[in-house]
Amino acid sequence: MKQKNIYLTPNLAINGNGARGGQQPAWLDDPLLGEVFSPAAIALARPGQNAQNANANARGATAANPNAPTSYDLQIRSLAKLNKAGVTIALGDDTGIQNSFPGYGELQQLERMAEAGMTPQQVLVAATRTAAQVLRLNDLGSIAPGKSASFVVLDANPLDNLANARKISKVYLRGQEIDRAAIRRAP
């Protein structure tokens, strides 16, 4: 992959490491998720709400072989090996499909990429500059003259802990601050 300049966008699904054996993942009760998505949308992702969800975490370990690695475990191992080999990695996820949450899923993905051994700096570059380069979006991905000035301001340093990417103070889109309070009030 490295020799042929092929990039990887991992898809460590939002349920991948959240609920095993029908347990409810803690992220379903995250206040940040509730700021953007309705209780009805979140309820659809709770275990037992649909057949896809009920089976999503059963892949891998079974009653016959409870120690078998899950699909998630195998994906984490693969990402670690590819990162170590120097393959280009860009943030990627399947948000927007059933029971996933655009934006929130990417925050989860940042942390999961770190679980695979990527440093916070590698993860942030994969999520910004590399993702923009892969998509050939030359006006995005970094802060520089002539770029779109779309960015977030955080209350804590994500290089210290990627979970700090959730501590959003302000959001700017093309240089204009977004009124997050107005979005929260919208029906």
Side-chain angles (χ1 to χ4, degrees), residues 4-187:
K4 296 195 181 272
N5 200 28
I6 296 172
Y7 61 87
L8 172 74
T9 56
N11 180 16
L12 304 171
I14 197 162
N15 282 331
N17 195 27
R20 295 181 189 249
Q23 297 173 341
Q24 177 173 294
W27 59 261
L28 284 170
D29 295 317
D30 186 339
L32 184 60
L33 181 65
E35 278 188 34
V36 182
F37 293 94
S38 71
I42 295 169
L44 289 174
R46 294 191 187 279
Q49 295 301 309
N50 61 49
Q52 179 183 347
N53 233 6
N55 294 323
N57 295 304
R59 295 182 197 112
T62 64
N65 190 358
N67 295 321
T70 64
S71 174
Y72 177 80
D73 297 331
L74 296 172
Q75 290 175 59
I76 286 288
R77 284 187 218 161
S78 292
L79 179 57
K81 287 178 184 178
L82 292 168
N83 181 51
K84 187 175 181 179
V87 170
T88 299
I89 298 170
L91 178 71
D93 202 39
D94 274 352
T95 57
I97 62 170
Q98 181 179 6
N99 296 335
S100 67
F101 302 95
Y104 186 81
E106 285 75 11
L107 290 172
Q108 292 276 336
Q109 183 80 311
L110 296 175
E111 294 173 37
R112 292 196 170 109
M113 290 167 75
E115 285 179 33
M118 294 177 71
T119 66
Q121 183 171 356
Q122 288 175 315
V123 172
L124 293 172
V125 169
T128 56
R129 186 178 66 212
T130 303
Q133 289 170 343
V134 164
L135 294 171
R136 296 184 178 105
L137 298 172
N138 299 325
D139 65 330
L140 300 174
S142 61
I143 298 174
K147 298 223 175 184
S148 79
S150 296
F151 58 93
V152 295
V153 177
L154 302 175
D155 288 327
N157 190 345
L159 293 174
D160 294 337
N161 182 341
L162 283 169
N164 289 338
R166 299 162 176 260
K167 297 178 180 180
I168 300 168
S169 174
K170 297 179 182 185
V171 177
Y172 288 83
L173 181 61
R174 293 183 287 283
Q176 299 297 311
E177 184 176 356
I178 300 297
D179 185 348
R180 294 174 67 217
I183 291 172
R184 285 186 204 107
R185 289 189 302 269

